[in-house]
Amino acid sequence: MNEAILWAKFLGAWLLVAGPLYQGSVELEELDLDREAIEQVKAAAAKAAENRPSPWWWLVPPVMYVLRRRWAAAFHEATFGQLTQAQQAQFAGFRSKATGWFTVAAGATLLAAGETWEVTGHYRWAAWAFWLLVVAMLAGSLLNTAIRRSGGRRRPGAGSGLEPE
């Protein structure tokens, strides 16, 4: 019975990773965004990205920090200055919701990693088995979302359980 509970906790924890990833992708897709206007701003973003500080500045981290902050502020001003107030509010809402779902998925990943550690410890598996399981389960969670979301774009109602047999 202990082994069944161990595996149930392991699988449950990884379902807590897959669920927020999928739900977040659904909710973010459903948000009312002026995607066309935001796509047009990408041209300005690409131009601003050309002025990004050289990675060589990481040899002097404090200087890179200052340069990176200045560049980020200029990038923000160049891109967001082209959006209307409504578009800025839409983007802020999108960013807030994405941050929330990412935080939930990241927390669930940490819990799932702990449960994975318990499984590998119970069976006295090598540390590489732990990392292999974590990578495989995380990839499975991401793949689940990608497959379900791409299937939903091809056919209306796909993945809803309402398809004819």
Side-chain angles (χ1 to χ4, degrees):
M1 186 65 170
N2 284 342
E3 286 190 21
I5 298 298
L6 183 71
W7 283 102
K9 288 176 18 181
F10 169 80
L11 292 174
W14 283 105
L15 285 173
L16 287 175
V17 174
L21 288 174
Y22 177 72
Q23 186 63 32
S25 73
V26 169
E27 288 187 22
L28 292 173
E29 183 71 27
E30 292 173 350
L31 280 179
D32 184 29
L33 283 177
D34 189 358
R35 296 186 197 297
E36 292 174 12
I38 294 172
E39 286 293 323
Q40 292 172 355
V41 172
K42 282 186 177 181
K47 185 176 180 182
E50 292 173 3
N51 299 327
R52 181 178 294 176
S54 168
W56 286 103
W57 282 110
W58 280 115
L59 295 173
V60 188
V63 174
M64 179 58 161
Y65 177 77
V66 170
L67 292 175
R68 181 93 168 139
R69 287 194 43 106
R70 286 182 186 165
W71 175 82
F75 179 82
H76 180 78
E77 186 177 321
T79 54
F80 285 92
Q82 297 180 27
L83 298 176
T84 66
Q85 290 286 6
Q87 292 165 338
Q88 289 178 6
Q90 290 172 355
F91 186 76
F94 179 89
R95 189 174 182 179
S96 177
K97 189 168 275 197
T99 300
W101 280 114
F102 177 77
T103 303
V104 171
T109 302
L110 293 173
L111 292 173
E115 294 302 330
T116 304
W117 184 256
E118 292 294 322
V119 167
T120 57
H122 177 78
Y123 291 106
R124 300 180 201 278
W125 292 343
W128 64 264
F130 163 77
W131 290 108
L132 181 66
L133 269 174
V134 167
V135 169
M137 296 303 287
L138 191 54
S141 297
L142 292 168
L143 192 60
N144 170 61
T145 296
I147 289 171
R148 292 180 61 123
R149 296 297 295 151
S150 67
R153 287 190 194 98
R154 285 194 302 261
R155 305 183 315 266
S160 64
L162 300 176
E163 300 89 1
E165 295 287 323

